[in-house]
Amino acid sequence: MAPSWLGILSFRRATAALSVHAQILPSITINTSTLSLLSPLSAPFMQQSRGLANHRHKKIIKMAKGYRGRTNCFRMAVQRVEKALQYAYRDRKVKKREFRSIWIQRIGAAVQQYGMNYSRFIPGLKRANITLNRKVLADMAVTEPYSFKAVVETVRSQ
């Protein structure tokens, strides 16, 4: 049975530590029985650390933290993270869609207060050469009603 690298390294560290202590404290003597206890071949109490294979595994496990299911298992964590990234990609598009519909609803509600509807308001903006987008119009309708009223009156006069 060949010794593992981890066992050899810890064996070398232990022997180096013993030799350093022997120089500091002359009362400690290094005998072969002490060294044989630290040998990686004969030391059943020294377990190898079972860490993750590489940086990519650690990154995936970290990304899967907080998900449902067994996320400490790498294979399951990969599946969960891939699905989460698919959802994130899809929902970035959905978010834009939802905000646009909210802006349209807000503009429609604000324009109705002045006796006009949304489907006539937007073409009127184009005819009046007003290049405000829906996001700005919705914000203006909520925060600056007098400015929005001036825009509606300009569109109505066209």
Side-chain angles (χ1 to χ4, degrees):
M1 181 170 118
S4 68
W5 285 106
L6 182 64
I8 291 172
L9 289 176
S10 57
F11 176 69
R12 287 183 184 162
R13 286 191 197 117
T15 54
L18 280 175
S19 63
V20 168
H21 287 303
Q23 291 172 358
I24 296 171
L25 301 170
S27 63
I28 296 177
T29 58
I30 301 174
N31 56 11
T32 55
S33 64
T34 310
L35 289 178
S36 67
L37 287 175
L38 297 173
S39 170
L41 295 175
S42 65
F45 59 87
M46 290 180 64
Q47 291 183 346
Q48 292 181 356
S49 66
R50 294 203 28 126
L52 294 172
N54 55 23
H55 177 69
R56 186 168 139 306
H57 283 216
K58 288 179 187 173
K59 187 172 82 171
I60 295 290
I61 295 290
K62 186 178 178 185
M63 287 172 73
K65 200 171 205 177
Y67 291 173
R68 301 195 83 167
R70 288 190 54 160
T71 55
N72 59 345
C73 174
F74 177 70
R75 188 180 297 175
M76 295 297 291
V78 167
Q79 293 172 359
R80 307 285 172 158
V81 168
E82 282 180 358
K83 194 65 176 177
L85 292 174
Q86 289 172 1
Y87 286 144
Y89 177 80
R90 179 198 67 189
D91 291 340
R92 282 194 295 272
K93 314 291 185 245
V94 171
K95 180 181 173 185
K96 292 172 180 64
R97 244 178 276 155
E98 288 176 352
F99 267 106
R100 182 180 166 92
S101 71
I102 288 170
W103 297 331
I104 290 171
Q105 289 171 10
R106 286 180 182 169
I107 293 168
V111 167
Q112 257 183 349
Q113 291 176 347
Y114 302 112
M116 201 173 198
N117 62 8
Y118 178 82
S119 61
R120 300 207 181 187
F121 178 68
I122 293 298
L125 283 174
K126 305 273 192 247
R127 274 183 268 131
N129 280 337
I130 298 174
T131 56
L132 295 174
N133 60 16
R134 287 166 179 81
K135 178 180 176 181
V136 172
L137 285 168
D139 186 52
M140 188 185 294
V142 172
T143 58
E144 302 172 18
Y146 293 115
S147 302
F148 187 76
K149 183 178 181 181
V151 171
V152 172
E153 294 302 326
T154 306
V155 169
R156 186 175 285 151
S157 67
Q158 286 292 323

